[in-house]
Amino acid sequence: MGGRDDDFTMMHEAYLALVSRLNQYAKAYYTRDESLITDTEYDRLYQDLLSYEAANPLLMAPHSPSQRVGDQPLDQFQPFHHSQRLPSLDNAFDWPQIQAFWDRLAKLGPVAMSVEPKIDGLAVAIRYEKGVFHSGGTRGDGSRGEDVSLNLKTIRSLPLRLSSPVDIEVRGEVFMRKSVFAALDGQFANPRNAAAGSMRQLDPAICAQRCLDIQLYQGFYEGISTHSEMISFLAQLGFPVVGPVREVTSQDALQGALADISQQRDRLDWEIDGVVIKANSFQIQEEMGATSKAPRWAIAYKLAAQQGVTVIEDIVVQVGRTGVLTPVAQLRPVSLAGVRIQRATLHNMDHIERKGIRIGDEVSVERAGDVIPAVVEVVTSSADARAFKMPDACPVCGGEVQHDEDEVAYRCCNWSCQAQLKGRLAHFCHRKAMDLDGIGVSLLEQLVDTGLVTRLSDLYQLTANQLSVLDRMGEKSITNCLTAIQQKRHVRFDRFLFGLGIPFVGQRTASLLASAFPDLDQLMGASEESLLAVDEVGPKIVASLLSTFSSSDFQEMMAHFIQLGLTFEVLSPVGEGPLSNQTILFTGSLQEMTRDIAQEKAIKWGAKVVGSVSKRLDILVVGANAGSKLAKAQAFNESGASIQIMTEAEFLQIGEGD
Ligand SMILES: [Zn+2]
């Protein structure tokens, strides 16, 4: 009795565990641009998930990754609402699956398919009104993405004005060329992450530097009857389009097209990870319709990853810019698609343990779109293979390595670790932290490389003499740099706290902490209970704060800051001020200040800044060219809401005398 039920319970538990694992991977991928496992491995697990769900449809978990297209957008961007759902495509991994797709199409009459390369990038939708760029957004969850209009406008190949004054919505893939990626020198794992990371920059100037590219693969416009005609029409309008788009009407021609595209793969200057096969006729597309997740009239054939088998000779550890330790396999050299590979990432300790990978094992190695190859799994384990253990001390600085139970990562927590210093400095100087705009990336690199700066506080003791020996530092740049630092000797405590880059202390947490503890002494002297009593501050943040404050490196650095004359502005506690307990939203373009500064003022005056118009909104501040948000607020007011609509000047009057 019960044997079958027990098996069944176990299987269902395994399924639920798979759901949460895949969700974790997807979250890392979509919100942090981190690949915790290879694409092939993800696809395999995802297929396992789908087959369980197909066999047990009633037991499908509502939070299963099969029930969504992408992931929730980040908070900072305005939402972008898709006029029609922007889905991802179902995948096919082999010829029988493609044939099945062919057969479904053949039921509706003679088959005509379009075949085109699938670029490995970031899907976006863009609107043009009367032939002029209007706005654009990412896929997000398929119905709502992030409005990345400013970043899209930095893409030089994307026309801002079309050759004809049409209203049209188009879709395409934003990507980074391999040649551009190579010049970035290891900041990202692969061109797709680089493209996605760049599009998610809040500062369009950074995105512009990344020289992104785009190719369109879809358009919505009346009077065109096939996909291939649409692509020609988009090209006529001046868009860069995907291609070449091949039309095929026989299975032989389809196989030929697939072979052509996979052969060209390595010769292209962009990564492709598959081939998109579509019903060419829009009428057929309409007849076939869509499932809740993907259209039935298209399929993405995934190209095989480039794999090889070799031996792990050793495992070493690299320290990244945020202190995360990444295990890297030293391989007996192996050739993957003509490229000689000697090193491959093992991602993290979790991957090594799950796969039982040991030094001396024969393993399969894969380069799947990723420029950095990865170890996939053990092929044969050697009898004298030995297990790898994460070091207790950082290989760069010897500092203590910490591992948080609910996090995959191991981190070096030394505040003066040289591997992390450049990243920490860049964060400290960032516009949203200390806002030291006289200090650019190349200067920071030189300061670290020459040893002039070995910890954050050293910035405050730089002299003109020291700076004059650096490259490209003329008198003017030196003055700019020193003035910028001088101006930031009396700073807001929340900005300083955020700039320190304490794990889990983001901008919002920093300002909550700064309201509760107005200076460094009070914060560092706070008890665990009083830290936990701060709104939204949980045990994970408190543990990170306490461990940071107890580090002698950190204590010495703080003393150094104070000794060099750093003092703090006191913030009024959150919720107090002329706008206390009011919600506020800004729309349109402001004339006197940036939106960031306006929002900071509102928060300082006690208001809570929200992201969208609702009936409960208290204040809407309207700048030039305000659009749908103003209309929405007016409509709410007509139906009984009392949203106060004010100009920028009226908003500024609120804080007069401040
Ligand atoms: Zn270190």
Side-chain angles (χ1 to χ4, degrees), residues 319 394-399 412-414 417-420:
V319 186
C394 169
V396 173
C397 69
C412 164
C413 297
N414 177 3
C417 177
Q418 294 302 300
Q420 303 169 49

Side-chain angles (χ1 to χ4, degrees), residues 65-355:
S66 66
Q67 299 304 297
R68 62 166 95 195
V69 184
D71 212 302
Q72 295 302 311
L74 302 173
D75 292 328
Q76 301 99 314
F77 286 103
Q78 298 298 312
F80 179 90
H81 297 277
H82 295 289
S83 57
Q84 301 190 43
R85 198 162 169 73
L86 172 46
S88 49
L89 298 180
D90 276 337
N91 289 322
F93 295 93
D94 52 25
W95 179 250
Q97 287 176 319
I98 296 173
Q99 242 172 349
F101 176 60
W102 181 283
D103 292 343
R104 287 199 295 279
L105 213 61
K107 285 184 194 147
L108 301 171
V111 176
M113 286 180 172
S114 68
V115 184
E116 69 206 26
K118 180 171 179 294
I119 297 178
D120 194 13
L122 183 76
V124 293
I126 310 170
R127 288 188 194 120
Y128 285 77
E129 289 184 358
K130 300 201 166 41
V132 176
F133 178 99
H134 178 266
S135 58
T138 58
R139 184 205 312 274
D141 64 6
S143 52
R144 198 182 77 151
E146 293 166 341
D147 187 323
V148 289
S149 302
L150 295 178
N151 286 343
L152 283 168
K153 285 184 178 179
T154 70
I155 300 177
R156 286 170 183 271
S157 55
L158 184 71
L160 297 180
R161 183 179 291 274
L162 306 178
S163 66
S164 164
V166 292
D167 288 345
I168 190 170
E169 178 161 336
V170 296
R171 289 168 176 181
E173 200 81 3
V174 172
F175 62 96
M176 181 178 281
R177 285 174 181 269
K178 291 178 188 168
S179 49
V180 173
F181 175 77
L184 272 182
D185 200 21
Q187 283 184 47
F188 295 94
N190 56 50
R192 183 196 53 219
N193 287 5
S198 305
M199 281 308 279
R200 203 171 277 119
Q201 289 290 334
L202 288 166
D203 182 356
I206 298 179
C207 184
Q209 288 165 8
R210 302 269 167 82
C211 303
L212 297 180
D213 222 319
I214 189 169
Q215 288 186 4
L216 300 194
Y217 60 77
Q218 199 176 14
F220 297 96
Y221 195 73
E222 294 290 311
I224 292 179
S225 57
T226 69
H227 173 65
S228 40
E229 282 169 31
M230 176 61 80
I231 296 297
S232 309
F233 177 65
L234 293 177
Q236 274 169 30
L237 287 175
F239 287 114
V241 292
V242 72
V245 177
R246 296 165 172 85
E247 287 176 60
V248 300
T249 51
S250 72
Q251 295 199 14
D252 280 351
L254 176 56
Q255 273 183 321
L258 295 179
D260 276 355
I261 293 175
S262 48
Q263 268 169 22
Q264 281 162 7
R265 187 180 190 183
D266 284 329
R267 270 176 276 148
L268 298 172
D269 193 22
W270 48 87
E271 299 280 359
I272 61 172
D273 63 343
V275 179
V276 179
I277 308 169
K278 293 176 178 171
N280 198 30
S281 148
F282 289 155
Q283 199 195 325
I284 300 278
Q285 290 186 4
E286 198 148 299
E287 278 177 44
M288 293 182 84
T291 66
S292 66
K293 183 177 152 282
R296 288 198 181 88
W297 45 265
I299 198 162
Y301 168 57
K302 296 289 248 184
L303 291 174
Q306 295 156 340
Q307 280 210 351
V309 171
T310 186
V311 172
I312 297 186
E313 294 183 328
D314 198 2
I315 295 177
V316 297
V317 170
Q318 275 181 354
V319 186
R321 299 201 301 176
T322 55
V324 172
L325 272 58
T326 304
V328 175
Q330 311 267 35
L331 305 171
R332 183 172 298 162
V334 58
S335 174
L336 297 189
V339 182
R340 191 179 140 98
I341 306 295
Q342 268 180 294
R343 290 158 72 83
T345 180
L346 288 155
H347 302 293
N348 51 53
M349 201 58 209
D350 189 49
H351 180 74
I352 294 177
E353 281 167 357
R354 236 174 338 101
K355 294 302 176 76

Side-chain angles (χ1 to χ4, degrees), residues 24 92 358 398 472 517 556 642 647:
Q24 191 196 338
R358 296 185 301 167
R472 278 174 289 153
F517 306 98
E556 279 164 28
S642 52
T647 63

Side-chain angles (χ1 to χ4, degrees), residues 35 43 69 73 126 147 231 390 489 500 569 587 631:
S35 301
D43 288 338
V69 184
I126 310 170
D147 187 323
I231 296 297
M390 270 289 182
R489 266 181 212 276
L500 290 175
E569 266 176 56
T587 185

